[in-house]
PDB file of all heavy atoms in Angstrom:
ATOM      1  N   LEU A 870     -33.955 -10.501  -9.650  1.00 94.00           N
ATOM      2  CA  LEU A 870     -32.990 -11.375 -10.326  1.00 94.00           C
ATOM      3  C   LEU A 870     -31.958 -11.827  -9.300  1.00 94.00           C
ATOM      4  O   LEU A 870     -31.207 -11.016  -8.770  1.00 94.00           O
ATOM      5  CB  LEU A 870     -32.313 -10.578 -11.450  1.00 94.00           C
ATOM      6  CG  LEU A 870     -31.474 -11.320 -12.480  1.00 94.00           C
ATOM      7  CD1 LEU A 870     -32.322 -12.295 -13.268  1.00 94.00           C
ATOM      8  CD2 LEU A 870     -30.807 -10.306 -13.420  1.00 94.00           C
ATOM      9  N   PRO A 871     -31.926 -13.124  -8.931  1.00 96.00           N
ATOM     10  CA  PRO A 871     -31.020 -13.580  -7.857  1.00 96.00           C
ATOM     11  C   PRO A 871     -29.559 -13.260  -8.166  1.00 96.00           C
ATOM     12  O   PRO A 871     -29.070 -13.540  -9.262  1.00 96.00           O
ATOM     13  CB  PRO A 871     -31.260 -15.103  -7.836  1.00 96.00           C
ATOM     14  CG  PRO A 871     -32.622 -15.286  -8.412  1.00 96.00           C
ATOM     15  CD  PRO A 871     -32.765 -14.222  -9.456  1.00 96.00           C
ATOM     16  N   LEU A 872     -28.876 -12.683  -7.170  1.00 97.00           N
ATOM     17  CA  LEU A 872     -27.451 -12.399  -7.277  1.00 97.00           C
ATOM     18  C   LEU A 872     -26.651 -13.222  -6.249  1.00 97.00           C
ATOM     19  O   LEU A 872     -25.683 -13.878  -6.601  1.00 97.00           O
ATOM     20  CB  LEU A 872     -27.156 -10.902  -7.052  1.00 97.00           C
ATOM     21  CG  LEU A 872     -27.703  -9.911  -8.059  1.00 97.00           C
ATOM     22  CD1 LEU A 872     -27.271  -8.500  -7.689  1.00 97.00           C
ATOM     23  CD2 LEU A 872     -27.243 -10.243  -9.484  1.00 97.00           C
ATOM     24  N   TYR A 873     -27.089 -13.140  -5.018  1.00 97.00           N
ATOM     25  CA  TYR A 873     -26.403 -13.852  -3.927  1.00 97.00           C
ATOM     26  C   TYR A 873     -27.484 -14.452  -3.049  1.00 97.00           C
ATOM     27  O   TYR A 873     -28.230 -13.717  -2.395  1.00 97.00           O
ATOM     28  CB  TYR A 873     -25.504 -12.908  -3.135  1.00 97.00           C
ATOM     29  CG  TYR A 873     -24.771 -13.579  -1.976  1.00 97.00           C
ATOM     30  CD1 TYR A 873     -23.560 -14.231  -2.196  1.00 97.00           C
ATOM     31  CD2 TYR A 873     -25.284 -13.551  -0.703  1.00 97.00           C
ATOM     32  CE1 TYR A 873     -22.873 -14.846  -1.153  1.00 97.00           C
ATOM     33  CE2 TYR A 873     -24.614 -14.155   0.364  1.00 97.00           C
ATOM     34  CZ  TYR A 873     -23.420 -14.799   0.134  1.00 97.00           C
ATOM     35  OH  TYR A 873     -22.746 -15.413   1.169  1.00 97.00           O
ATOM     36  N   ASN A 874     -27.606 -15.741  -3.082  1.00 95.00           N
ATOM     37  CA  ASN A 874     -28.647 -16.448  -2.313  1.00 95.00           C
ATOM     38  C   ASN A 874     -27.962 -17.533  -1.528  1.00 95.00           C
ATOM     39  O   ASN A 874     -27.601 -18.568  -2.074  1.00 95.00           O
ATOM     40  CB  ASN A 874     -29.716 -17.006  -3.239  1.00 95.00           C
ATOM     41  CG  ASN A 874     -30.349 -15.910  -4.095  1.00 95.00           C
ATOM     42  OD1 ASN A 874     -29.767 -15.509  -5.085  1.00 95.00           O
ATOM     43  ND2 ASN A 874     -31.502 -15.448  -3.718  1.00 95.00           N
ATOM     44  N   HIS A 875     -27.803 -17.301  -0.248  1.00 94.00           N
ATOM     45  CA  HIS A 875     -26.974 -18.180   0.579  1.00 94.00           C
ATOM     46  C   HIS A 875     -27.818 -18.846   1.657  1.00 94.00           C
ATOM     47  O   HIS A 875     -28.510 -18.180   2.421  1.00 94.00           O
ATOM     48  CB  HIS A 875     -25.831 -17.411   1.210  1.00 94.00           C
ATOM     49  CG  HIS A 875     -24.906 -18.240   2.026  1.00 94.00           C
ATOM     50  ND1 HIS A 875     -24.299 -19.383   1.542  1.00 94.00           N
ATOM     51  CD2 HIS A 875     -24.489 -18.127   3.319  1.00 94.00           C
ATOM     52  CE1 HIS A 875     -23.539 -19.915   2.473  1.00 94.00           C
ATOM     53  NE2 HIS A 875     -23.644 -19.181   3.562  1.00 94.00           N
ATOM     54  N   LEU A 876     -27.740 -20.167   1.702  1.00 95.00           N
ATOM     55  CA  LEU A 876     -28.418 -20.970   2.728  1.00 95.00           C
ATOM     56  C   LEU A 876     -27.346 -21.389   3.745  1.00 95.00           C
ATOM     57  O   LEU A 876     -26.309 -21.903   3.381  1.00 95.00           O
ATOM     58  CB  LEU A 876     -29.056 -22.178   2.067  1.00 95.00           C
ATOM     59  CG  LEU A 876     -29.834 -23.185   2.910  1.00 95.00           C
ATOM     60  CD1 LEU A 876     -30.859 -23.879   2.018  1.00 95.00           C
ATOM     61  CD2 LEU A 876     -28.939 -24.236   3.543  1.00 95.00           C
ATOM     62  N   TYR A 877     -27.628 -21.156   5.011  1.00 94.00           N
ATOM     63  CA  TYR A 877     -26.623 -21.487   6.036  1.00 94.00           C
ATOM     64  C   TYR A 877     -27.330 -21.950   7.314  1.00 94.00           C
ATOM     65  O   TYR A 877     -28.565 -22.000   7.390  1.00 94.00           O
ATOM     66  CB  TYR A 877     -25.725 -20.284   6.311  1.00 94.00           C
ATOM     67  CG  TYR A 877     -26.428 -19.093   6.920  1.00 94.00           C
ATOM     68  CD1 TYR A 877     -26.439 -18.866   8.291  1.00 94.00           C
ATOM     69  CD2 TYR A 877     -27.088 -18.164   6.107  1.00 94.00           C
ATOM     70  CE1 TYR A 877     -27.091 -17.770   8.837  1.00 94.00           C
ATOM     71  CE2 TYR A 877     -27.737 -17.074   6.647  1.00 94.00           C
ATOM     72  CZ  TYR A 877     -27.740 -16.863   8.019  1.00 94.00           C
ATOM     73  OH  TYR A 877     -28.388 -15.793   8.561  1.00 94.00           O
ATOM     74  N   SER A 878     -26.535 -22.297   8.315  1.00 93.00           N
ATOM     75  CA  SER A 878     -27.079 -22.712   9.611  1.00 93.00           C
ATOM     76  C   SER A 878     -26.213 -22.150  10.730  1.00 93.00           C
ATOM     77  O   SER A 878     -24.980 -22.159  10.614  1.00 93.00           O
ATOM     78  CB  SER A 878     -27.124 -24.229   9.714  1.00 93.00           C
ATOM     79  OG  SER A 878     -27.462 -24.637  11.039  1.00 93.00           O
ATOM     80  N   SER A 879     -26.858 -21.666  11.765  1.00 92.00           N
ATOM     81  CA  SER A 879     -26.122 -21.185  12.937  1.00 92.00           C
ATOM     82  C   SER A 879     -25.452 -22.338  13.679  1.00 92.00           C
ATOM     83  O   SER A 879     -24.613 -22.105  14.566  1.00 92.00           O
ATOM     84  CB  SER A 879     -27.057 -20.431  13.872  1.00 92.00           C
ATOM     85  OG  SER A 879     -28.117 -21.274  14.299  1.00 92.00           O
ATOM     86  N   LYS A 880     -25.799 -23.574  13.320  1.00 93.00           N
ATOM     87  CA  LYS A 880     -25.177 -24.754  13.972  1.00 93.00           C
ATOM     88  C   LYS A 880     -23.911 -25.223  13.246  1.00 93.00           C
ATOM     89  O   LYS A 880     -23.231 -26.121  13.729  1.00 93.00           O
ATOM     90  CB  LYS A 880     -26.201 -25.905  13.999  1.00 93.00           C
ATOM     91  CG  LYS A 880     -27.445 -25.640  14.872  1.00 93.00           C
ATOM     92  CD  LYS A 880     -27.097 -25.715  16.350  1.00 93.00           C
ATOM     93  CE  LYS A 880     -28.344 -25.555  17.202  1.00 93.00           C
ATOM     94  NZ  LYS A 880     -29.239 -26.726  17.149  1.00 93.00           N
ATOM     95  N   GLU A 881     -23.602 -24.622  12.102  1.00 92.00           N
ATOM     96  CA  GLU A 881     -22.416 -25.029  11.380  1.00 92.00           C
ATOM     97  C   GLU A 881     -21.152 -24.670  12.168  1.00 92.00           C
ATOM     98  O   GLU A 881     -21.116 -23.639  12.867  1.00 92.00           O
ATOM     99  CB  GLU A 881     -22.348 -24.346  10.012  1.00 92.00           C
ATOM    100  CG  GLU A 881     -23.368 -24.868   9.017  1.00 92.00           C
ATOM    101  CD  GLU A 881     -23.258 -24.210   7.662  1.00 92.00           C
ATOM    102  OE1 GLU A 881     -23.897 -23.162   7.451  1.00 92.00           O
ATOM    103  OE2 GLU A 881     -22.505 -24.723   6.813  1.00 92.00           O
ATOM    104  N   GLU A 882     -20.140 -25.468  12.039  1.00 90.00           N
ATOM    105  CA  GLU A 882     -18.905 -25.314  12.824  1.00 90.00           C
ATOM    106  C   GLU A 882     -18.235 -23.970  12.560  1.00 90.00           C
ATOM    107  O   GLU A 882     -17.713 -23.325  13.470  1.00 90.00           O
ATOM    108  CB  GLU A 882     -17.945 -26.447  12.501  1.00 90.00           C
ATOM    109  CG  GLU A 882     -16.744 -26.514  13.458  1.00 90.00           C
ATOM    110  CD  GLU A 882     -15.871 -27.711  13.190  1.00 90.00           C
ATOM    111  OE1 GLU A 882     -16.391 -28.735  12.688  1.00 90.00           O
ATOM    112  OE2 GLU A 882     -14.669 -27.647  13.487  1.00 90.00           O
ATOM    113  N   ASP A 883     -18.255 -23.509  11.299  1.00 89.00           N
ATOM    114  CA  ASP A 883     -17.558 -22.258  10.965  1.00 89.00           C
ATOM    115  C   ASP A 883     -18.468 -21.034  11.003  1.00 89.00           C
ATOM    116  O   ASP A 883     -18.074 -19.934  10.592  1.00 89.00           O
ATOM    117  CB  ASP A 883     -16.879 -22.362   9.609  1.00 89.00           C
ATOM    118  CG  ASP A 883     -17.873 -22.672   8.484  1.00 89.00           C
ATOM    119  OD1 ASP A 883     -19.056 -22.936   8.809  1.00 89.00           O
ATOM    120  OD2 ASP A 883     -17.486 -22.636   7.313  1.00 89.00           O
ATOM    121  N   PHE A 884     -19.713 -21.169  11.459  1.00 91.00           N
ATOM    122  CA  PHE A 884     -20.597 -20.032  11.574  1.00 91.00           C
ATOM    123  C   PHE A 884     -20.115 -19.081  12.662  1.00 91.00           C
ATOM    124  O   PHE A 884     -19.782 -19.497  13.777  1.00 91.00           O
ATOM    125  CB  PHE A 884     -22.028 -20.482  11.902  1.00 91.00           C
ATOM    126  CG  PHE A 884     -22.992 -19.337  12.152  1.00 91.00           C
ATOM    127  CD1 PHE A 884     -23.540 -18.656  11.092  1.00 91.00           C
ATOM    128  CD2 PHE A 884     -23.307 -18.953  13.450  1.00 91.00           C
ATOM    129  CE1 PHE A 884     -24.420 -17.594  11.301  1.00 91.00           C
ATOM    130  CE2 PHE A 884     -24.196 -17.890  13.684  1.00 91.00           C
ATOM    131  CZ  PHE A 884     -24.748 -17.230  12.597  1.00 91.00           C
ATOM    132  N   GLN A 885     -20.078 -17.757  12.344  1.00 92.00           N
ATOM    133  CA  GLN A 885     -19.625 -16.773  13.320  1.00 92.00           C
ATOM    134  C   GLN A 885     -20.768 -15.854  13.773  1.00 92.00           C
ATOM    135  O   GLN A 885     -21.031 -15.729  14.951  1.00 92.00           O
ATOM    136  CB  GLN A 885     -18.486 -15.927  12.716  1.00 92.00           C
ATOM    137  CG  GLN A 885     -17.218 -16.735  12.503  1.00 92.00           C
ATOM    138  CD  GLN A 885     -16.128 -15.949  11.807  1.00 92.00           C
ATOM    139  OE1 GLN A 885     -16.109 -15.829  10.610  1.00 92.00           O
ATOM    140  NE2 GLN A 885     -15.232 -15.378  12.595  1.00 92.00           N
ATOM    141  N   SER A 886     -21.441 -15.215  12.831  1.00 91.00           N
ATOM    142  CA  SER A 886     -22.560 -14.344  13.189  1.00 91.00           C
ATOM    143  C   SER A 886     -23.356 -14.015  11.927  1.00 91.00           C
ATOM    144  O   SER A 886     -22.864 -14.128  10.784  1.00 91.00           O
ATOM    145  CB  SER A 886     -22.069 -13.045  13.820  1.00 91.00           C
ATOM    146  OG  SER A 886     -21.447 -12.208  12.832  1.00 91.00           O
ATOM    147  N   GLN A 887     -24.578 -13.556  12.144  1.00 91.00           N
ATOM    148  CA  GLN A 887     -25.421 -13.160  10.997  1.00 91.00           C
ATOM    149  C   GLN A 887     -24.814 -11.944  10.311  1.00 91.00           C
ATOM    150  O   GLN A 887     -24.868 -11.839   9.070  1.00 91.00           O
ATOM    151  CB  GLN A 887     -26.847 -12.851  11.474  1.00 91.00           C
ATOM    152  CG  GLN A 887     -27.801 -12.634  10.294  1.00 91.00           C
ATOM    153  CD  GLN A 887     -29.142 -12.104  10.734  1.00 91.00           C
ATOM    154  OE1 GLN A 887     -29.233 -11.156  11.507  1.00 91.00           O
ATOM    155  NE2 GLN A 887     -30.201 -12.709  10.227  1.00 91.00           N
ATOM    156  N   ASN A 888     -24.249 -11.006  11.072  1.00 91.00           N
ATOM    157  CA  ASN A 888     -23.657  -9.824  10.468  1.00 91.00           C
ATOM    158  C   ASN A 888     -22.536 -10.186   9.484  1.00 91.00           C
ATOM    159  O   ASN A 888     -22.369  -9.556   8.424  1.00 91.00           O
ATOM    160  CB  ASN A 888     -23.108  -8.883  11.529  1.00 91.00           C
ATOM    161  CG  ASN A 888     -24.206  -8.002  12.130  1.00 91.00           C
ATOM    162  OD1 ASN A 888     -25.276  -7.859  11.554  1.00 91.00           O
ATOM    163  ND2 ASN A 888     -23.923  -7.409  13.278  1.00 91.00           N
ATOM    164  N   ILE A 889     -21.761 -11.200   9.828  1.00 92.00           N
ATOM    165  CA  ILE A 889     -20.678 -11.651   8.936  1.00 92.00           C
ATOM    166  C   ILE A 889     -21.258 -12.276   7.677  1.00 92.00           C
ATOM    167  O   ILE A 889     -20.763 -12.055   6.562  1.00 92.00           O
ATOM    168  CB  ILE A 889     -19.712 -12.607   9.674  1.00 92.00           C
ATOM    169  CG1 ILE A 889     -18.895 -11.814  10.700  1.00 92.00           C
ATOM    170  CG2 ILE A 889     -18.811 -13.336   8.701  1.00 92.00           C
ATOM    171  CD1 ILE A 889     -17.984 -12.654  11.556  1.00 92.00           C
ATOM    172  N   GLU A 890     -22.327 -13.033   7.834  1.00 93.00           N
ATOM    173  CA  GLU A 890     -22.985 -13.630   6.668  1.00 93.00           C
ATOM    174  C   GLU A 890     -23.519 -12.515   5.747  1.00 93.00           C
ATOM    175  O   GLU A 890     -23.395 -12.600   4.515  1.00 93.00           O
ATOM    176  CB  GLU A 890     -24.139 -14.549   7.093  1.00 93.00           C
ATOM    177  CG  GLU A 890     -23.717 -15.769   7.880  1.00 93.00           C
ATOM    178  CD  GLU A 890     -22.837 -16.719   7.071  1.00 93.00           C
ATOM    179  OE1 GLU A 890     -22.945 -16.744   5.819  1.00 93.00           O
ATOM    180  OE2 GLU A 890     -22.010 -17.420   7.679  1.00 93.00           O
ATOM    181  N   ILE A 891     -24.099 -11.472   6.325  1.00 94.00           N
ATOM    182  CA  ILE A 891     -24.612 -10.355   5.553  1.00 94.00           C
ATOM    183  C   ILE A 891     -23.477  -9.624   4.826  1.00 94.00           C
ATOM    184  O   ILE A 891     -23.603  -9.263   3.651  1.00 94.00           O
ATOM    185  CB  ILE A 891     -25.381  -9.365   6.457  1.00 94.00           C
ATOM    186  CG1 ILE A 891     -26.659 -10.030   6.968  1.00 94.00           C
ATOM    187  CG2 ILE A 891     -25.726  -8.085   5.707  1.00 94.00           C
ATOM    188  CD1 ILE A 891     -27.392  -9.258   8.060  1.00 94.00           C
ATOM    189  N   ALA A 892     -22.339  -9.442   5.529  1.00 93.00           N
ATOM    190  CA  ALA A 892     -21.173  -8.766   4.932  1.00 93.00           C
ATOM    191  C   ALA A 892     -20.656  -9.549   3.719  1.00 93.00           C
ATOM    192  O   ALA A 892     -20.249  -8.932   2.709  1.00 93.00           O
ATOM    193  CB  ALA A 892     -20.069  -8.614   5.975  1.00 93.00           C
ATOM    194  N   LYS A 893     -20.701 -10.870   3.786  1.00 94.00           N
ATOM    195  CA  LYS A 893     -20.274 -11.701   2.659  1.00 94.00           C
ATOM    196  C   LYS A 893     -21.149 -11.394   1.430  1.00 94.00           C
ATOM    197  O   LYS A 893     -20.657 -11.337   0.293  1.00 94.00           O
ATOM    198  CB  LYS A 893     -20.361 -13.196   2.986  1.00 94.00           C
ATOM    199  CG  LYS A 893     -19.341 -13.666   3.992  1.00 94.00           C
ATOM    200  CD  LYS A 893     -19.589 -15.142   4.328  1.00 94.00           C
ATOM    201  CE  LYS A 893     -18.647 -15.650   5.420  1.00 94.00           C
ATOM    202  NZ  LYS A 893     -18.964 -17.043   5.833  1.00 94.00           N
ATOM    203  N   GLY A 894     -22.449 -11.212   1.676  1.00 96.00           N
ATOM    204  CA  GLY A 894     -23.364 -10.901   0.585  1.00 96.00           C
ATOM    205  C   GLY A 894     -23.047  -9.545  -0.033  1.00 96.00           C
ATOM    206  O   GLY A 894     -22.992  -9.419  -1.264  1.00 96.00           O
ATOM    207  N   PHE A 895     -22.838  -8.550   0.816  1.00 96.00           N
ATOM    208  CA  PHE A 895     -22.478  -7.220   0.324  1.00 96.00           C
ATOM    209  C   PHE A 895     -21.197  -7.255  -0.491  1.00 96.00           C
ATOM    210  O   PHE A 895     -21.083  -6.627  -1.546  1.00 96.00           O
ATOM    211  CB  PHE A 895     -22.348  -6.213   1.470  1.00 96.00           C
ATOM    212  CG  PHE A 895     -23.659  -5.646   1.935  1.00 96.00           C
ATOM    213  CD1 PHE A 895     -24.137  -5.889   3.212  1.00 96.00           C
ATOM    214  CD2 PHE A 895     -24.422  -4.857   1.109  1.00 96.00           C
ATOM    215  CE1 PHE A 895     -25.332  -5.374   3.650  1.00 96.00           C
ATOM    216  CE2 PHE A 895     -25.639  -4.313   1.526  1.00 96.00           C
ATOM    217  CZ  PHE A 895     -26.087  -4.580   2.807  1.00 96.00           C
ATOM    218  N   ASN A 896     -20.193  -7.977   0.020  1.00 95.00           N
ATOM    219  CA  ASN A 896     -18.892  -8.071  -0.676  1.00 95.00           C
ATOM    220  C   ASN A 896     -19.054  -8.694  -2.059  1.00 95.00           C
ATOM    221  O   ASN A 896     -18.471  -8.216  -3.051  1.00 95.00           O
ATOM    222  CB  ASN A 896     -17.902  -8.901   0.149  1.00 95.00           C
ATOM    223  CG  ASN A 896     -17.357  -8.133   1.325  1.00 95.00           C
ATOM    224  OD1 ASN A 896     -17.343  -6.907   1.312  1.00 95.00           O
ATOM    225  ND2 ASN A 896     -16.881  -8.834   2.327  1.00 95.00           N
ATOM    226  N   THR A 897     -19.831  -9.784  -2.123  1.00 96.00           N
ATOM    227  CA  THR A 897     -20.035 -10.486  -3.400  1.00 96.00           C
ATOM    228  C   THR A 897     -20.711  -9.573  -4.415  1.00 96.00           C
ATOM    229  O   THR A 897     -20.291  -9.477  -5.567  1.00 96.00           O
ATOM    230  CB  THR A 897     -20.873 -11.751  -3.201  1.00 96.00           C
ATOM    231  OG1 THR A 897     -20.192 -12.628  -2.273  1.00 96.00           O
ATOM    232  CG2 THR A 897     -21.086 -12.485  -4.507  1.00 96.00           C
ATOM    233  N   VAL A 898     -21.753  -8.899  -4.000  1.00 97.00           N
ATOM    234  CA  VAL A 898     -22.513  -8.026  -4.905  1.00 97.00           C
ATOM    235  C   VAL A 898     -21.675  -6.808  -5.288  1.00 97.00           C
ATOM    236  O   VAL A 898     -21.697  -6.367  -6.464  1.00 97.00           O
ATOM    237  CB  VAL A 898     -23.840  -7.599  -4.283  1.00 97.00           C
ATOM    238  CG1 VAL A 898     -24.577  -6.611  -5.171  1.00 97.00           C
ATOM    239  CG2 VAL A 898     -24.740  -8.844  -4.053  1.00 97.00           C
ATOM    240  N   HIS A 899     -20.943  -6.250  -4.349  1.00 97.00           N
ATOM    241  CA  HIS A 899     -20.068  -5.113  -4.628  1.00 97.00           C
ATOM    242  C   HIS A 899     -19.040  -5.465  -5.710  1.00 97.00           C
ATOM    243  O   HIS A 899     -18.802  -4.682  -6.652  1.00 97.00           O
ATOM    244  CB  HIS A 899     -19.367  -4.661  -3.341  1.00 97.00           C
ATOM    245  CG  HIS A 899     -18.341  -3.602  -3.534  1.00 97.00           C
ATOM    246  ND1 HIS A 899     -18.673  -2.321  -3.987  1.00 97.00           N
ATOM    247  CD2 HIS A 899     -16.978  -3.597  -3.349  1.00 97.00           C
ATOM    248  CE1 HIS A 899     -17.565  -1.593  -4.073  1.00 97.00           C
ATOM    249  NE2 HIS A 899     -16.535  -2.341  -3.695  1.00 97.00           N
ATOM    250  N   THR A 900     -18.441  -6.629  -5.605  1.00 95.00           N
ATOM    251  CA  THR A 900     -17.475  -7.104  -6.602  1.00 95.00           C
ATOM    252  C   THR A 900     -18.160  -7.297  -7.954  1.00 95.00           C
ATOM    253  O   THR A 900     -17.625  -6.913  -8.999  1.00 95.00           O
ATOM    254  CB  THR A 900     -16.812  -8.422  -6.160  1.00 95.00           C
ATOM    255  OG1 THR A 900     -16.164  -8.230  -4.901  1.00 95.00           O
ATOM    256  CG2 THR A 900     -15.820  -8.909  -7.168  1.00 95.00           C
ATOM    257  N   PHE A 901     -19.346  -7.867  -7.942  1.00 96.00           N
ATOM    258  CA  PHE A 901     -20.115  -8.108  -9.160  1.00 96.00           C
ATOM    259  C   PHE A 901     -20.423  -6.800  -9.881  1.00 96.00           C
ATOM    260  O   PHE A 901     -20.348  -6.706 -11.111  1.00 96.00           O
ATOM    261  CB  PHE A 901     -21.407  -8.848  -8.813  1.00 96.00           C
ATOM    262  CG  PHE A 901     -22.454  -8.826  -9.898  1.00 96.00           C
ATOM    263  CD1 PHE A 901     -22.294  -9.581 -11.057  1.00 96.00           C
ATOM    264  CD2 PHE A 901     -23.631  -8.073  -9.745  1.00 96.00           C
ATOM    265  CE1 PHE A 901     -23.280  -9.570 -12.047  1.00 96.00           C
ATOM    266  CE2 PHE A 901     -24.583  -8.070 -10.745  1.00 96.00           C
ATOM    267  CZ  PHE A 901     -24.414  -8.806 -11.899  1.00 96.00           C
ATOM    268  N   LEU A 902     -20.769  -5.758  -9.128  1.00 96.00           N
ATOM    269  CA  LEU A 902     -21.167  -4.470  -9.725  1.00 96.00           C
ATOM    270  C   LEU A 902     -20.014  -3.715 -10.346  1.00 96.00           C
ATOM    271  O   LEU A 902     -20.232  -2.837 -11.196  1.00 96.00           O
ATOM    272  CB  LEU A 902     -21.838  -3.598  -8.672  1.00 96.00           C
ATOM    273  CG  LEU A 902     -23.178  -4.077  -8.147  1.00 96.00           C
ATOM    274  CD1 LEU A 902     -23.630  -3.246  -6.953  1.00 96.00           C
ATOM    275  CD2 LEU A 902     -24.247  -4.051  -9.251  1.00 96.00           C
ATOM    276  N   GLY A 903     -18.788  -4.046  -9.936  1.00 93.00           N
ATOM    277  CA  GLY A 903     -17.631  -3.311 -10.477  1.00 93.00           C
ATOM    278  C   GLY A 903     -17.658  -1.873 -10.047  1.00 93.00           C
ATOM    279  O   GLY A 903     -17.741  -1.563  -8.844  1.00 93.00           O
ATOM    280  N   LYS A 904     -17.624  -0.942 -10.993  1.00 91.00           N
ATOM    281  CA  LYS A 904     -17.581   0.488 -10.672  1.00 91.00           C
ATOM    282  C   LYS A 904     -18.966   1.126 -10.562  1.00 91.00           C
ATOM    283  O   LYS A 904     -19.101   2.311 -10.272  1.00 91.00           O
ATOM    284  CB  LYS A 904     -16.774   1.232 -11.710  1.00 91.00           C
ATOM    285  CG  LYS A 904     -15.285   0.834 -11.719  1.00 91.00           C
ATOM    286  CD  LYS A 904     -14.515   1.636 -12.754  1.00 91.00           C
ATOM    287  CE  LYS A 904     -13.024   1.241 -12.721  1.00 91.00           C
ATOM    288  NZ  LYS A 904     -12.229   2.001 -13.734  1.00 91.00           N
ATOM    289  N   LYS A 905     -20.013   0.329 -10.784  1.00 94.00           N
ATOM    290  CA  LYS A 905     -21.377   0.888 -10.748  1.00 94.00           C
ATOM    291  C   LYS A 905     -21.854   1.043  -9.316  1.00 94.00           C
ATOM    292  O   LYS A 905     -21.610   0.199  -8.467  1.00 94.00           O
ATOM    293  CB  LYS A 905     -22.334  -0.012 -11.533  1.00 94.00           C
ATOM    294  CG  LYS A 905     -22.069   0.019 -13.035  1.00 94.00           C
ATOM    295  CD  LYS A 905     -23.208  -0.542 -13.832  1.00 94.00           C
ATOM    296  CE  LYS A 905     -22.945  -0.377 -15.324  1.00 94.00           C
ATOM    297  NZ  LYS A 905     -24.061  -0.860 -16.152  1.00 94.00           N
TER     298      LYS A 905
END
């Protein structure tokens, strides 16, 4: 069941690193889960 599906490019001006993109996904899902 899709929760966080992000399409991006390493050529984008504000791209920093893949690890940061992954962290954004973890943050979004962590917030979604609440206390679970």
